Amino acid sequence: MSDAESPDGPGRAGSGTPPATPAGAGYRTPPATPDGGPAGAPDDALLDALFTQSAVGLVVLDPQLRLVRANSLVEGVEIRAYTGRRFREVFRLDDPDASEQLLKRVLAGEGPVRDHLVRGRLRRVPGDRDFLVSAYRLDGPGGAPLGLLAAVVDVTERERARGREATLAAVRDAVGGSLDVATTCRAFVDALVPGFADLAVIEVVDEVLRGADPPVRPLPPDTPLRRAASGRCDTVRAEEQEQGGDRGGPVGGTRRLPPRTPYALAVGDLRPRLVPLTPETPWLDADPGGARVIAESGAHSLIVVPLTLRGAVLGLVSLYRCGAAEAFDEDDVSLADSAATRAALAIDNARRFEREHVIASTVQRRLLPQTDRAQAAVETAHVLLPGRDSGCWFDTIALSGARTALVVGGVAGQGLQTAIAMGQLRTVIQALAALDLEPEEVFARLRATAARLAEERAALPVGDALQSEPLTASCVYGVYDPFSRTCTVARAGHPAPLVVGPDGTALPLDVPEGPSLFSDDTAPFAPGTVTLDEGSILAFCTAELLPDEPAGRRITHLLAEQPGRDLQHLSDEIVYGLPDHVRSAGAALLLARTGTVSEHLVATWDLAQDPTTPATARVLARDRLHGWGLDEDTVDATELIVSELVTNAVRYGTPPLRLRLLLDRDATLTCEVHDGSTASPHLRHARTVDEGGRGLFIVSMLAAHWGTRHGPGGKVLWTEQELADGETRG
């Protein structure tokens, strides 16, 4: 055979002609028999039968690892062309050096090799192949090695099937563990590249990403698809970087599928497509952008699979093989279809969760304060971080006597039911706050409400998924009094607020932790009180912002660094430094800077416990209201309210007796009468012939709000009157 006839040139790499006598030709002449006579024809017939009838491929190598003989099961090997050549010239292996060292160890007597997997390709057969090789040493009469016998089994299809199973297993393991569409798509692409495809792109209908129901087939033309994830192997990435390309554009971009392309056809009839790619592929003219990126990546084989679920189209998966990789076949299409089905189910689950999350977030927002409420003696700012948890809330509640209640809480969990439970607790707290209860008493009554909510959930039918979901909630409630400059705080399974003085010094606030609202613990709630200077900052926040002590120190440090800084800027600065897991979970932060009521807007008188005191109180109130520039109608109504409240205190109360008038910036006039008795007056509806009992009834008709609050020194009976717009104030 001439050099021109050999597929690889001369008989041996680097030599001019093939060997005159093939090495190892003596194997065709059997050795002498034990009695010294020549081996007969039966030995040759036995050897021929072995090589002809063997169910596996057989290869004989001499001690120099050159080919002596091979049977026909080793496809693609031409004995005449390759006899005498080294095995690495006959087989193009992925790692020929390691294979040669393995065979040399067998020749050295280190034992046979059984079922060793080798990957490579035959000289005359295109494409990579997988071989299972077992090698045994052939010993001569004196024990000297005569060569090697290798049994070769082509397990390419088996390994490909195993690879497909591994790919499907990777998809099953990676896809479906997240309820985020982008994370799901990213995991799907990572499971396919590079083991199955060199390049993968997954696109999702834009409306589906926003939680909308997927369109029913066929997908309407011009429907925008958004690139949710893409991935490429290192080889494709290097080729694209050399050419300055990027397959399909960045993640997040949208496109409309060009008509008369495999992409548009796949989402039209919901059938996958196996498409060979060549420069002459006709449909590339209809998709110039796709043609460009296919050329840049060197893709030669394409599978397009629609993402479908129950007849609806969620998106499209495009898989490419590039360069020297083997083209996709029908078995690969079946695998891609199964993987896409798994991805479609996971994406739909994530879509449903996203829709529920959007609804829950909307409900949460609607149940929270819609506007910033200016308080009489407290400046506040808040930040609510949207996230998975939809049960955190904050509140600022104006109380009588220019006091302010500061509330932050959270219901553990996510979804619509969590937001609803949060709204129920917030509404109850607002109602309890209006009763002027102390913080610990607010929680005592709130716990009773929580217990009823838990009972109602436990009473749901067994088939209701909500029935098995436990309720867990925490809350912190504080009341700031600008006259005593104290803040009284109670907490139910919630972190205590952080306190920083006006000079930047962190102040201790010892508040015993009470049980969470839905726990079985019946321990009482104990309050803690701190006296604050004007300009101090209180930081109420959900537990997510304080996962450990360093986080608390960081927030305190930021508050102390610039205590006079704008509160909204301070709260934003705290959020900027939060770790990602906090921002994704959601949290609430409420900052409050304490203040006092201006002296010229407050008037206080200590009164005697005397029958003439009501008349004196009327004169004092009238003079003060005229000084504030209030109109005569307001003065007359207030004078009557003061007279009735002071008369009630003189008749039924005990000393000390005190009258306070407060004009706040919310166009409200507050009247408070304090006495030492703990007995609360009750509103009566007097009969026509009754001479008394109409005092509180008259008060309730003149005042917008009225009530009683109790303290260590007795009680305060208070009223609030809403002033007309434009009324003059001193």
Side-chain angles (χ1 to χ4, degrees):
M1 179 177 177
S2 66
D3 291 349
E5 294 173 333
S6 174
D8 293 298
R12 179 179 300 180
S15 63
T17 59
T21 303
Y27 281 105
R28 299 293 294 174
T29 303
T33 59
D35 59 0
D43 293 326
D44 286 334
L46 182 61
L47 191 60
D48 289 339
L50 175 64
F51 272 76
T52 302
Q53 301 178 18
S54 174
V56 299
L58 296 177
V59 177
V60 177
L61 303 176
D62 68 7
Q64 286 73 42
L65 302 182
R66 294 175 297 192
L67 180 66
V68 175
R69 186 170 183 176
N71 67 356
S72 60
L73 292 181
V74 184
E75 297 178 1
V77 176
E78 292 289 339
I79 300 300
R80 295 181 180 179
Y82 292 102
T83 299
R85 296 195 184 187
R86 296 180 63 82
F87 83 96
R88 59 194 302 166
E89 299 175 30
V90 181
F91 305 102
R92 293 180 179 176
L93 305 181
D94 287 353
D95 191 358
D97 292 333
S99 298
E100 184 169 346
Q101 292 301 320
L102 185 67
L103 295 178
K104 286 181 177 180
R105 288 198 295 270
V106 177
L107 277 173
E110 296 183 12
V113 173
R114 295 182 176 87
D115 298 334
H116 179 68
L117 186 64
V118 176
R119 185 170 179 81
R121 61 177 59 191
L122 298 170
R123 289 288 179 175
R124 294 181 179 272
V125 179
D128 291 334
R129 312 292 293 177
D130 293 301
F131 303 100
L132 208 58
V133 178
S134 298
Y136 306 89
R137 192 174 80 164
L138 299 175
D139 293 332
L146 298 176
L148 295 176
L149 173 64
V152 181
V153 180
D154 190 336
V155 293
T156 303
E157 294 305 321
R158 189 193 73 179
E159 291 302 312
R160 287 178 180 174
R162 183 177 296 176
R164 295 187 185 101
E165 292 176 359
T167 299
L168 280 178
V171 171
R172 286 193 296 267
D173 293 341
V175 176
S178 171
L179 289 176
D180 178 73
V181 175
T183 302
T184 299
C185 293
R186 180 73 259 171
F188 177 71
V189 168
D190 290 343
L192 295 178
V193 177
F196 180 72
D198 296 321
L199 193 151
V201 177
I202 181 169
E203 299 165 292
V204 181
V205 176
D206 195 33
E207 292 183 353
V208 171
L209 285 173
R210 306 175 192 277
D213 290 330
V216 180
R217 65 182 243 181
L219 194 65
D222 297 331
T223 300
L225 275 73
R226 187 172 297 275
R227 192 172 326 292
S230 65
R232 56 186 59 77
C233 66
D234 294 338
T235 302
V236 174
R237 186 179 292 110
E239 292 177 355
E240 291 180 342
Q241 289 175 351
E242 289 178 0
Q243 302 185 38
D246 185 4
R247 164 63 199 145
V251 171
T254 60
R255 71 160 176 162
R256 288 171 171 80
L257 300 179
R260 300 182 303 280
T261 63
Y263 313 106
L265 295 177
V267 297
D269 59 14
L270 306 190
R271 295 171 56 196
R273 296 293 195 282
L274 173 60
V275 184
L277 301 175
T278 66
E280 294 76 25
T281 300
W283 58 265
L284 291 177
D285 295 337
D287 187 11
R292 176 181 57 81
V293 295
I294 287 173
E296 290 172 353
S297 62
H300 59 77
S301 186
L302 164 67
I303 292 179
V304 182
V305 186
L307 288 170
T308 62
L309 190 67
R310 294 181 289 272
V313 182
L314 285 79
L316 184 71
V317 175
S318 303
L319 305 174
Y320 302 81
R321 281 186 179 169
C322 311
E326 292 186 357
F328 290 117
D329 57 24
E330 291 297 334
D331 290 334
D332 295 326
V333 174
S334 177
L335 182 149
D337 195 23
S338 298
T341 299
R342 173 78 178 190
L345 180 60
I347 291 172
D348 188 63
N349 288 338
R351 175 194 67 82
R352 292 173 181 271
F353 171 79
E354 180 66 21
R355 181 170 61 183
E356 182 178 351
H357 175 66
V358 170
I359 295 173
S361 298
T362 303
V363 172
Q364 179 190 25
R365 288 286 184 179
R366 292 293 183 268
L367 293 175
L368 291 175
Q370 300 301 301
T371 58
D372 293 329
R373 300 172 181 173
Q375 303 297 329
V378 173
E379 176 192 356
T380 63
H382 70 271
V383 173
L384 180 67
L385 298 180
R388 296 187 305 272
D389 298 337
S390 50
C392 56
W393 86 90
F394 67 93
D395 217 339
T396 58
I397 306 172
L399 303 177
S400 63
R403 298 173 306 136
T404 302
L406 305 168
V407 189
V408 167
V411 178
Q414 54 194 15
L416 182 59
Q417 296 299 328
T418 299
I420 292 174
M422 176 273 290
Q424 290 173 315
L425 293 178
R426 176 175 177 257
T427 301
V428 173
I429 287 180
Q430 288 181 322
L432 295 175
L435 298 177
D436 282 319
L437 301 176
E438 293 297 322
E440 66 274 20
E441 190 173 354
V442 168
F443 279 143
R445 301 195 181 190
L446 184 62
R447 179 166 58 185
T449 300
R452 286 194 294 272
L453 293 177
E455 291 174 359
E456 291 175 358
R457 175 168 291 195
L460 293 173
V462 178
D464 194 321
L466 193 63
Q467 192 262 357
S468 60
E469 293 183 11
L471 279 168
T472 303
S474 64
C475 186
V476 58
Y477 181 93
V479 175
Y480 174 68
D481 188 336
F483 295 105
S484 62
R485 291 186 291 106
T486 60
C487 184
T488 303
V489 179
R491 58 193 183 114
H494 202 93
L498 305 175
V499 186
V500 175
D503 58 353
T505 304
L507 303 178
L509 177 56
D510 184 16
V511 184
E513 181 178 359
S516 59
L517 294 178
F518 291 97
S519 71
D520 296 330
D521 190 351
T522 58
F525 298 96
T529 302
V530 60
T531 301
L532 304 171
D533 292 330
E534 183 179 357
S536 299
I537 297 178
L538 292 155
F540 291 71
C541 54
T542 52
E544 290 78 10
L545 296 181
L546 299 174
D548 47 33
E549 187 59 29
R553 288 198 298 267
R554 178 184 173 278
I555 295 177
T556 304
H557 176 72
L558 286 174
L559 297 177
E561 200 172 29
Q562 295 177 309
R565 189 179 179 186
D566 179 77
L567 286 185
Q568 194 60 60
H569 291 164
L570 273 175
S571 59
D572 292 345
E573 192 71 24
I574 292 173
V575 172
Y576 296 152
L578 294 176
D580 291 337
H581 73 273
V582 172
R583 290 193 288 267
S584 63
L589 171 66
L590 176 64
L591 298 183
R593 179 179 283 122
T594 61
T596 57
V597 179
S598 299
E599 292 183 0
H600 73 282
L601 297 179
V602 180
T604 304
W605 301 276
D606 290 325
L607 303 175
Q609 195 81 11
D610 188 89
T612 62
T613 297
T616 303
R618 287 195 298 271
V619 174
L620 294 173
R622 173 173 286 274
D623 290 343
R624 179 68 270 182
L625 296 180
H626 281 156
W628 282 337
L630 302 184
D631 62 32
E632 196 61 31
D633 290 341
T634 301
V635 173
D636 291 341
T638 306
E639 184 179 359
L640 183 55
I641 290 174
V642 168
S643 178
E644 293 295 337
L645 295 184
V646 172
T647 299
N648 185 286
V650 169
R651 182 174 299 176
Y652 303 108
T654 58
L657 178 61
R658 184 181 302 113
L659 169 64
R660 175 186 290 162
L661 297 178
L662 169 62
L663 183 66
D664 68 28
R665 54 190 172 188
D666 278 341
T668 302
L669 176 64
T670 302
C671 174
E672 296 182 348
V673 174
H674 172 275
D675 74 85
S677 173
T678 58
S680 297
H682 298 283
L683 177 64
R684 293 174 54 193
H685 294 275
R687 294 173 297 179
T688 304
V689 297
D690 290 342
E691 296 182 1
R694 295 180 176 84
L696 284 183
F697 179 78
I698 295 174
V699 168
S700 66
M701 297 299 294
L702 296 174
H705 308 283
W706 71 277
T708 305
R709 69 174 182 269
H710 295 268
K715 69 175 182 298
V716 175
L717 192 61
W718 58 270
T719 65
E720 288 183 355
Q721 299 164 257
E722 295 179 356
L723 304 180
D725 293 340
E727 195 165 343
T728 304
R729 303 178 198 177

